[in-house]
Amino acid sequence: MKPYSSHLARSVAALAVLGLVSSCGLPRSGPNKREIYAGSVQKQGDSFVVSVNDRVTRITSVTPALGFSDAFKNAGKLGSDTIRPGDTLSLTIWENVDKPLLGPEGQVSATLEEVQVDGAGFIFVPYAGRIRAAGNSPEAIRRIIRANLEDQTPDPQVEVRREAGDGSTVSLVGAVGSQGIFTIERPTRTLSAMLAEAGGVAVEPEIAQVTIIRGKERGRIWFQDLFNNPELDIALRGGDRILVEEDTRSFTALGATGAQTRVDFESHSLSAIEAIAQVGGLATNAADPTGVFVFRNEPAEIANQVLGRNDLVGAQRFVYVLNLTEPNGMFMARDFSIRDSDTLYVTEAPFVVWDKTIASLTGSLGSVSALTSLASGTATGG
C-alpha cells in the first residue's frame, strides 16, 4: 500500500500546484489580448477597441496646429528711425552766441544725455518745451527743437540721436544661444533676424517651438515653419517677449518593448512604427507582433468620425489595435500617428506565457517532490 500512497501524494501535490498557479497567475508586464478585448464597449466595458486601417489613420492623423494670428502677420515692419514711448534720445545743441541758453558762458554746445520718451510719447527740452517725439524720426524731432529755439537764440544747430531704450527692445528667454534684452534695430526687425542675433535655438530645430507674447496676444509656431513659411517671419514690436522651448509632447511605452518608459517626441509627427523604434523595437524573445495597442483619450469629434456616429459627447477611451503580421500591417503602423499622452503597449506572445507556466510548474513540482520525499522518509522512520 505504501507505493500507492506515495504516488497519490505526489499526484495531489501536483494538482495543488497547478491549481495555485492557475488561480494566482504568473508574473507579466500587463494585460493580455483577451483581457484588453474584454474591456471593450461591445463587451460592456468602457473603451472602444478599433482595428487600425487606412480610414482610421486618415481620421486620427492630427498634429498640433501652431501659427500666428492675422494681427501678428499683418503688422508691418517698424521704421528703424521711428521713435516710440520708452526710447532714449541724446541731444546736442550748438548756439552761435557768447552767452548760450543751454550751456555755460563761452561753450558753444550743450549735450543732453538719456532723454527718455515718456509713456505719452513726449520729451522735455529746456527753452524748447514739451515736444512730441513718439511717431517722429530723429530728423523730425531735430527740426521741431530748432524751430522752437530760433526765437530765443540765433541759428541754433541741433543733433538728435536715438539710443537703446525699453521702447525698442524685446526679451528673449528659453532655449536660445543667449538670453537677454535685445534692441530692435534695422537688421533685427523680424523674428528670424532677432533669433539669429540671440545665437539661434539651443535645442534640436525639429522640436523647437517659438512663442511670442505681445500684450494680451500670444502666438506660437514651430521653429522650422519660420523658414518654410516666409509670412511667419513677423515684424517685431517693442515689448515683445519671445520664448523658445523644446516640444513637451511625450508618449509612454509599456509591455514587451525594448524599454518601458516615458518617451519625448523627436519630430513634429510620430508614427507608431517610429515610436516602437524609439524604445528599441519589440522584445524579440517576448513580444506578440499581433498585439500592438495604442491607448488614447480621443476627442468626441474624432471619436464620432472613427465610429461613424454623431452621439458621443466628451473625450472617449479608445484602444487602437495594430497587427504587424498582416500583409499591410507594417504600412498601417507607419501611417498611424502617435499623439501626446498616448500609451503604446505590446502584449507578450502566447508561448512566453506557456514557457512561464512550465517553468513555474517545473520549479514548484520539484519542491513538492522534495517535500513529499521528506514526508515519506519521516513516515518510514516513524
Side-chain angles (χ1 to χ4, degrees), residues 5-28:
S5 299
S6 176
H7 178 73
L8 179 61
R10 286 188 175 88
S11 299
V12 170
L15 289 173
V17 172
L18 181 59
L20 182 64
V21 170
S22 301
S23 62
C24 296
L26 297 167
R28 50 182 174 153

Side-chain angles (χ1 to χ4, degrees), residues 1-17 365 368-369 371-373 375-376:
M1 294 295 292
K2 188 176 293 186
Y4 175 76
S5 299
S6 176
H7 178 73
L8 179 61
R10 286 188 175 88
S11 299
V12 170
L15 289 173
V17 172
L365 287 173
V368 169
S369 177
L371 289 172
T372 304
S373 297
S376 299

